[in-house]
């Protein structure tokens, strides 16, 4: 295994999930590494409690990498995730020689350097690597690439194959970069390396491994076509993450349910579930029983009940029902769950009186509830990743990339996760107004056209996990509202946009379901440190700040620098899943959006000449008031 031996690099804890989670590439001071799977994690990783999310993902629990101490203690033992040097083909920027770096070349806390040049310049990683749809990633065999167009007998029989990576000023682009054998002078430029089947035509195959696996021990037969990509390209790594807001259990549970919750939430419960009997199982059962003040028979009955359950992987139809319903109830009806150290919400209002301007009155009629969250806790877990193409989420062959688990050897019993604390604003729109608006033929037709593109997309199953079985107009409208809300709060609250996240509650339910309709958005901080609790969002959620923020975001949604191209679009972004939405007006950093900047449309928010937006009356009233306020000569 080409491991990073005796080298210490620091990564923020939140970054071990996204963007530098298992399988992700990280560049540090000219070096390139990839995160190994969770088998390399230390056994004493800190447990992260999130029973609802664990039940949804069918795992026993979550672990977070421990904080590495500062100073000399950081070198005492490796307690964080392992990162492997990748790619292993490195070149010297002076002599241009390419070297295949091995673990025995590593020196403690030193960067790789050229041993031939004076001054020992630092070696740079090669720009291109190979990936496949099965999720494998490997170095390109540059020896074979350089000799793939050998002409003479000496070149074809060359065994030494010392390589150089030459940049010629006579050409431009990839044609100027050439890999040359220093012995037989065979060589080939990088022109065309990004073509779809170029590596297969060159005779290169996928080794069926990941960079942290020894090729001889853990290689899987892989028939997928390898593709050459730049190591920093966006299609190298598609992480699959899940998150849940920590919702306290409601008061007044039956006594048996309270005891069950105490046992299941015990820190040793995952160990007891995985125990196979013997003295260890007896000791764990005894400790849990004593600390939870229940009988050992009660603990054993819960363990047997868990063992009898046949674990099944969640399908797209299951998706987020269990999570969104509890969160919607907690936010829409404050007081339905008790406040705690990790969850504290309170109802507030827009602060609009009856003698306010018409735009404010229309806004108040459209918003049914405002709740500020003084403190929330979110758990974010990494389930796996895919490469070259995003996973469709349904597991079918030939559709999207294959999902690679965070444990590449066996089924993961636990997942890496981080917990973040922050604050947020929840707003719910009036259900009666919203239902009447959704029944308008023009609104239904526009949403139906978006849904047709969604059905044809490889992301259909994953996105329907958020929107529900049917794409409702409220989902697209509220999702667009959440994006503009974040953009406006980044100006008003003191947080940058990348520190904020959205949760859209507007999913449809299966026919005949008695679940309550959802219609709201929750904007909250997503920072993993003290920045998440500065109080800026709570302040903006208080009157009169929130009403002014909402009016400003609706007015700004009226204009885009790319109009009329943006406003008149019949399909934008990947798979044409957006309409009037682009980077200039609506799209956000990837960390903000829960569905990859898809299913967005400003028209359903503010309207146009053909489709009335839900907040059209608010915008028109605001524009008329602005016009009246202008003092014309």
């Amino acid at each position: 295994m080409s491991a990073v031996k005796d080298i210490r690099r620091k990564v923020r804890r939140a970054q071990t999930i996204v963007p530098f989670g298992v399988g992700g590439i990280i560049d540090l001071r000219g070096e390139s590494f990839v995160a190994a799977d969770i088998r390399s994690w230390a056994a004493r990783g800190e447990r992260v409690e999130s029973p609802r999310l664990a039940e949804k993902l069918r795992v026993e629990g979550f672990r977070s990498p421990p904080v590495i101490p500062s100073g000399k203690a950081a070198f005492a033992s490796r307690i964080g995730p392992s990162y492997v040097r990748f790619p292993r083909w490195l070149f010297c920027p002076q002599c241009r020689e390419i070297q295949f770096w091995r673990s025995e070349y590593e020196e403690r806390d030193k960067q790789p350097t050229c041993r031939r040049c004076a001054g020992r310049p630092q070696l740079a990683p090669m720009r291109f690597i190979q990936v496949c749809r099965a999720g494998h990633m490997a170095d390109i065999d540059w020896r074979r690439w350089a000799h793939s167009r050998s002409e003479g007998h000496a070149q074809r029989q060359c065994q030494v194959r010392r390589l150089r990576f030459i940049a010629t000023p006579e050409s431009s682009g990839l044609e100027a970069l050439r890999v040359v054998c220093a012995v037989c002078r065979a060589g080939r430029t990088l022109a065309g390396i990004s073509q779809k089947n170029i590596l297969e035509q060159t005779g290169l195959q996928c080794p069926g491994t990941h960079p942290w696996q020894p090729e001889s021990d853990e290689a899987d037969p892989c028939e997928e076509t390898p593709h050459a990509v730049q190591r920093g390209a966006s299609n190298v790594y598609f992480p699959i993450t899940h998150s849940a807001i920590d919702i306290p259990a409601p008061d007044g549970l039956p006594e048996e349910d309270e005891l069950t919750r105490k046992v299941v939430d015990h820190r040793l419960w995952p160990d007891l579930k995985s125990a196979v009997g013997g003295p260890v199982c007896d000791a764990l059962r005894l400790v849990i029983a004593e600390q939870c003040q229940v009988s050992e028979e009660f603990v054993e009955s819960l363990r047997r009940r868990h063992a009898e359950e046949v674990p099944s992987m969640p399908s797209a139809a299951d998706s987020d029902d269990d999570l969104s319903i509890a969160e919607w109830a907690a936010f829409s009806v404050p007081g339905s769950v008790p406040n705690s150290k990790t969850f504290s919400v309170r109802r507030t209002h827009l602060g609009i009186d009856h003698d306010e301007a018409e735009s404010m009155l229309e806004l108040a009629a459209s918003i049914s509830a405002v709740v500020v969250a003084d403190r929330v806790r979110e758990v974010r877990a990494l389930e796996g990743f895919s490469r070259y193409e995003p996973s469709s989420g349904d597991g079918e062959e030939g559709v999207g990339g294959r999902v690679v688990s965070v444990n590449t050897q066996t089924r993961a019993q636990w997942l890496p996760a981080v917990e973040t604390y922050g604050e947020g604003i929840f707003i719910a729109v009036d259900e009666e107004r919203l239902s009447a608006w959704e029944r308008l033929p023009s609104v239904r037709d526009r949403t139906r056209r978006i849904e047709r593109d969604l059905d044809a997309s490889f992301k259909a199953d994953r996105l329907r996990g958020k929107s529900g079985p049917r794409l409702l107009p409220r989902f697209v409208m509220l999702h667009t509202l959440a994006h503009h809300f974040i953009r406006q709060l980044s100006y008003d609250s003191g947080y940058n946009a990348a520190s904020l996240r959205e949760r859209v509650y507007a999913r449809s339910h299966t026919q005949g379901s008695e679940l309550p309709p959802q219609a709201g958005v929750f904007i909250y901080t997503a920072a993993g440190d003290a920045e998440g609790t500065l109080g800026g969002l709570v302040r903006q959620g208080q009157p009169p700040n929130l009403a002014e923020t909402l009016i400003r975001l609706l007015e700004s949604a009226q204009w885009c620098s790319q109009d009329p191209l943006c406003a008149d679009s019949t399909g934008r972004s990947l798979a044409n899943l957006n309409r009037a939405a682009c980077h200039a007006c609506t799209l956000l950093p990837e960390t903000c959006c829960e569905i990859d900047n898809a299913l967005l449309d400003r028209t359903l928010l503010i309207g146009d000449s053909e489709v009335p937006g839900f907040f059209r009356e608010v915008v028109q009233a605001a524009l008329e008031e602005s016009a009246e306020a202008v003092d014309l000569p």
Side-chain angles (χ1 to χ4, degrees), residues 271-283:
D271 298 326
L272 177 62
K273 289 195 300 182
S274 59
V276 293
V280 175
C281 183
D282 296 338

Side-chain angles (χ1 to χ4, degrees), residues 337-393:
V337 297
N339 286 342
S340 66
K341 294 181 179 180
T342 61
F343 186 82
S344 177
V345 299
R346 52 191 170 90
R347 183 182 291 273
T348 182
H349 54 85
L350 292 175
I352 298 176
D353 299 326
H354 295 291
D355 57 350
E356 294 277 0
E358 182 65 23
S359 61
M360 289 293 185
L361 295 178
E362 288 289 344
L363 180 64
S366 302
I367 303 297
S368 62
V370 178
V371 176
V372 294
D374 296 288
R375 188 156 179 88
V376 292
R377 172 180 175 265
E378 181 198 35
V379 174
R380 199 174 311 158
L382 176 67
E383 182 185 15
F385 63 90
S386 61
R387 301 198 192 279
Y388 194 67
E389 293 178 355
S391 168
S392 64

Side-chain angles (χ1 to χ4, degrees), residues 91 96-98 126 163-167 177-179 190:
F91 71 93
R96 309 299 295 187
E97 181 174 351
I98 305 178
M126 291 294 288
L163 303 178
R164 298 183 67 201
F165 186 46
I166 300 174
L177 302 176
R178 185 178 182 87
V179 180
L190 299 189

Side-chain angles (χ1 to χ4, degrees), residues 330-531:
F331 288 124
S332 61
V333 187
S336 60
V337 297
N339 286 342
S340 66
K341 294 181 179 180
T342 61
F343 186 82
S344 177
V345 299
R346 52 191 170 90
R347 183 182 291 273
T348 182
H349 54 85
L350 292 175
I352 298 176
D353 299 326
H354 295 291
D355 57 350
E356 294 277 0
E358 182 65 23
S359 61
M360 289 293 185
L361 295 178
E362 288 289 344
L363 180 64
S366 302
I367 303 297
S368 62
V370 178
V371 176
V372 294
D374 296 288
R375 188 156 179 88
V376 292
R377 172 180 175 265
E378 181 198 35
V379 174
R380 199 174 311 158
L382 176 67
E383 182 185 15
F385 63 90
S386 61
R387 301 198 192 279
Y388 194 67
E389 293 178 355
S391 168
S392 64
D394 57 8
E396 295 183 3
E397 293 294 333
V399 182
R402 192 180 77 184
V403 176
V404 180
S405 173
V406 292
N407 188 330
T408 53
Q409 190 174 42
T410 61
R411 182 180 180 275
Q413 301 297 316
W414 58 272
L415 298 178
V418 292
E419 56 183 356
T420 60
Y421 293 87
E423 55 176 337
I425 305 173
F426 170 84
I427 59 174
V429 301
D430 184 76
E431 179 63 33
E432 184 177 349
R433 276 199 169 201
L434 185 62
S435 298
W437 172 75
E438 286 185 308
R439 290 192 293 269
L440 296 175
S442 58
V443 173
R444 293 202 309 268
D445 291 343
R446 189 171 182 90
T447 307
R448 196 175 296 117
R449 289 194 293 269
I450 301 176
E451 190 168 23
R452 282 198 294 266
D453 290 331
L454 175 60
D455 291 335
S457 169
F458 64 89
K459 301 169 67 174
D461 291 277
R462 180 168 179 267
L463 295 182
R464 290 213 183 270
K466 296 293 184 181
S467 68
R470 294 182 299 114
L471 180 64
L472 300 178
R474 68 176 65 193
F475 184 89
V476 181
M477 184 274 292
L478 288 172
H479 187 208
T480 310
L481 172 66
H483 275 233
H484 284 272
F485 202 1
I486 290 177
R487 291 171 72 98
Q488 189 62 45
L489 286 172
S490 67
Y491 302 132
D492 300 340
S493 68
Y495 292 109
N496 60 66
S499 296
L500 302 177
R501 285 175 64 86
E502 66 173 10
R503 296 184 87 83
V504 180
Y505 301 100
R507 58 175 293 114
S508 61
H509 299 295
T510 56
Q511 190 171 6
S513 173
E514 297 181 357
L515 297 173
Q518 302 175 0
V521 297
F522 179 53
I523 308 300
Y524 62 103
T525 53
D529 50 24
E531 186 184 353

Side-chain angles (χ1 to χ4, degrees), residues 211-399:
W212 56 87
Q213 294 177 323
E215 296 183 8
S216 58
D217 296 343
E218 301 182 14
D220 296 325
C222 182
E223 298 180 356
E224 291 287 346
T225 302
H227 303 275
V229 296
Q230 295 193 55
R231 71 174 190 276
S234 60
N235 62 345
V236 170
Y237 184 60
F238 296 101
I240 301 173
T241 60
H242 304 270
S243 66
I245 300 294
D246 187 14
I247 304 296
D251 289 331
L253 285 175
E255 182 179 357
E256 183 177 348
D257 290 346
E258 289 185 356
L259 296 177
T260 299
R261 179 163 54 85
K262 287 177 64 176
V263 173
V264 172
D265 290 346
H266 194 277
R267 60 183 180 85
L268 296 180
W269 174 250
D271 298 326
L272 177 62
K273 289 195 300 182
S274 59
V276 293
V280 175
C281 183
D282 296 338
L284 291 172
R285 184 172 55 247
L286 176 61
V287 172
I288 294 175
E290 290 180 349
Q291 295 185 359
C292 295
Q293 298 180 350
V294 297
S295 65
E296 291 188 55
E297 291 76 13
F298 182 77
V299 177
E300 179 63 19
S301 66
L302 291 179
R303 190 184 75 86
R304 289 178 178 176
R305 189 190 309 170
H306 172 269
E308 292 172 357
E309 295 177 355
V310 179
S312 59
M313 296 305 293
S315 65
D318 302 329
S319 72
D320 284 3
D321 264 334
D322 293 338
L323 302 184
S324 67
I325 292 172
E327 293 173 10
W328 168 256
F331 288 124
S332 61
V333 187
S336 60
V337 297
N339 286 342
S340 66
K341 294 181 179 180
T342 61
F343 186 82
S344 177
V345 299
R346 52 191 170 90
R347 183 182 291 273
T348 182
H349 54 85
L350 292 175
I352 298 176
D353 299 326
H354 295 291
D355 57 350
E356 294 277 0
E358 182 65 23
S359 61
M360 289 293 185
L361 295 178
E362 288 289 344
L363 180 64
S366 302
I367 303 297
S368 62
V370 178
V371 176
V372 294
D374 296 288
R375 188 156 179 88
V376 292
R377 172 180 175 265
E378 181 198 35
V379 174
R380 199 174 311 158
L382 176 67
E383 182 185 15
F385 63 90
S386 61
R387 301 198 192 279
Y388 194 67
E389 293 178 355
S391 168
S392 64
D394 57 8
E396 295 183 3
E397 293 294 333
V399 182

